[in-house]
Amino acid sequence: MTRLSHTFDIAPVDRETVDRIVAGLYEVAAACRFDGRGWLITPDEEALSLLVERAGELGLIDVREREKRIAERERAITELREGDPSPGRREELEIQASRLGLQLRSGRHLEPRTRYLVAELSPDGIPVEPGDDETKGWSGTGVAVTSWDPWGRAAIDYAMPDGTGTGEPAVTWGSVAHDGAAGTLDWSLEIRLPGRGARLRSASGALHIDLDAWYATLDGGPVPPVHLSATHAMARVEGWIDATRTPEGRWSVKAVLDVRGRGLYRPFVAAALWATRASFRRQDARIRREGTGEPTTADRLEQAARDWDTAAQAAPQVPDLLADLARVMSEERRRP
């Protein structure tokens, strides 16, 4: 068995703020509108830029990084339309030029049995299909609503690729369920890669988050509020999070991950994990010795804590931002 753990000292977020953010996310989902072909109508750039600017001021997104991605996409679109790239270069440009789209396939928005498609779209709004047969199975994710009650249980099933009506088996599938009354979130994942050796090509995972248990844990509650599990023929992974309040009023959050090899694979898994940890140590030692400016593993963990602190400071203002986003999304139906 290999156990990895790290303790984060992070800023707190009160329960009322979290509940308001969750309610705001439901409002945004309900405000979505779709065009005649079923594709989600997104706000125009003028309305969106104001929301992006506010999110940037709150430290929720990196505005410069977003502008960089937009510029790269525009350059890729120009090269596709005006140049004559090779097949390999064309496929690379198509990925850079694509954007994520959501299509309402059947049913009424957010009602049970309603189906959606999440796909990468070309600049012309056409779903991008990978040219490589090995990656074709990962294109497009089908989503089906099984229940939708913001104050009770809201759940969706997902499958990738979307095989609705085709009989094509999914490579990845699972469900996401939020119970507003119980304050829990559950996510499940199943993977079965095509090919021989189904046992070694299959894996499963589950994540459980209990918001009530989280705030109870801060006051000495006995139940870990976050639990992760993953199973493969070669190994089993268990993870959990514990939290306590510090004398300064911050959260001391300990994340733990246990990895255990299974059966005959136990020594191989132990050797692979040992080699991975040794590799990280060597890389961190090289970075410190050469002074390259690259972040070490400790630096990345500290940055994650700082990012959380920034988000926690902005959290009370997020519900208003989400309310404005929902308003802009709902107004799109009045656009000609």
Side-chain angles (χ1 to χ4, degrees):
M1 179 186 73
T2 298
R3 171 170 291 189
L4 306 173
S5 66
H6 186 77
T7 300
F8 299 87
D9 183 74
I10 58 177
V13 179
D14 65 82
R15 176 65 184 272
E16 181 183 358
T17 298
V18 174
D19 289 339
R20 290 177 60 215
I21 291 174
V22 172
L25 292 172
Y26 275 108
E27 289 181 13
V28 172
C32 291
R33 299 294 179 262
F34 301 85
D35 64 18
R37 296 185 302 158
W39 291 106
L40 176 68
I41 301 174
T42 57
D44 59 46
E45 188 58 33
E46 181 180 357
L48 186 60
S49 62
L50 295 176
L51 294 172
V52 169
E53 183 179 351
R54 285 174 57 190
E57 291 172 352
L58 294 176
L60 300 176
I61 64 171
D62 188 331
V63 176
R64 291 185 178 179
E65 184 62 28
R66 177 179 181 270
E67 292 174 347
K68 178 182 176 181
R69 289 198 303 268
I70 292 175
E72 289 175 349
R73 181 170 180 266
E74 293 299 326
R75 285 195 295 270
I77 292 173
T78 300
E79 187 172 346
L80 281 171
R81 291 177 173 172
E82 300 178 1
D84 185 21
S86 64
R89 175 61 175 166
R90 174 173 291 277
E91 185 172 356
E92 179 184 344
L93 291 171
E94 287 175 346
I95 294 174
Q96 293 179 0
S98 65
R99 60 182 175 85
L100 204 61
L102 175 67
Q103 185 183 36
L104 176 62
R105 283 289 184 88
S106 64
R108 296 173 63 86
H109 181 45
L110 296 183
E111 289 189 357
R113 295 183 295 279
T114 296
R115 293 186 174 275
Y116 303 84
L117 172 69
V118 181
E120 289 188 353
L121 304 180
S122 72
D124 298 322
I126 301 172
V128 176
E129 288 289 345
D132 189 342
D133 288 339
E134 293 185 0
T135 59
K136 211 172 189 62
W138 300 95
S139 63
T141 301
V143 177
V145 177
T146 56
S147 63
W148 196 266
D149 181 359
W151 296 275
R153 180 179 172 81
I156 62 169
D157 291 339
Y158 63 90
M160 181 168 58
D162 178 34
T164 305
T166 67
E168 185 179 359
V171 175
T172 303
W173 69 95
S175 64
V176 180
H178 173 249
D179 191 324
T184 60
L185 177 70
D186 288 280
W187 168 74
S188 68
L189 171 71
E190 298 283 343
I191 298 176
R192 184 172 297 165
L193 301 176
R196 295 181 178 181
R199 186 164 175 266
L200 292 178
R201 289 174 171 266
S202 302
S204 63
L207 174 67
H208 175 75
I209 301 175
D210 188 329
L211 200 57
D212 289 341
W214 176 273
Y215 285 92
T217 297
L218 293 168
D219 297 321
V223 181
V226 179
H227 181 262
L228 167 72
S229 64
T231 304
H232 182 266
M234 297 179 66
R236 178 168 179 80
V237 178
E238 294 285 341
W240 61 91
I241 290 178
D242 286 315
T244 57
R245 297 184 194 274
T246 69
E248 297 77 22
R250 291 172 65 82
W251 289 349
S252 179
V253 178
K254 183 179 182 181
V256 182
L257 196 67
D258 272 353
V259 184
R260 301 169 182 253
R262 302 180 66 191
L264 296 175
Y265 302 107
R266 189 172 298 166
F268 299 102
V269 172
L273 291 171
W274 177 86
T276 300
R277 295 179 68 174
S279 175
F280 274 109
R281 292 194 189 101
R282 286 195 299 270
Q283 181 180 358
D284 288 348
R286 177 188 60 81
I287 291 173
R288 287 190 290 267
R289 183 175 63 254
E290 298 177 358
T292 60
E294 299 175 64
T296 64
T297 303
D299 293 335
R300 295 179 190 277
L301 293 171
E302 290 176 4
Q303 183 59 52
R306 289 194 294 268
D307 290 343
W308 170 272
D309 283 357
T310 299
Q313 184 178 4
Q317 302 178 62
V318 171
D320 291 337
L321 180 63
L322 291 173
D324 288 341
L325 175 58
R327 175 182 54 77
V328 170
M329 294 291 289
S330 65
E331 288 174 350
E332 291 302 312
R333 60 181 167 179
R334 295 196 289 269
R335 267 176 41 189

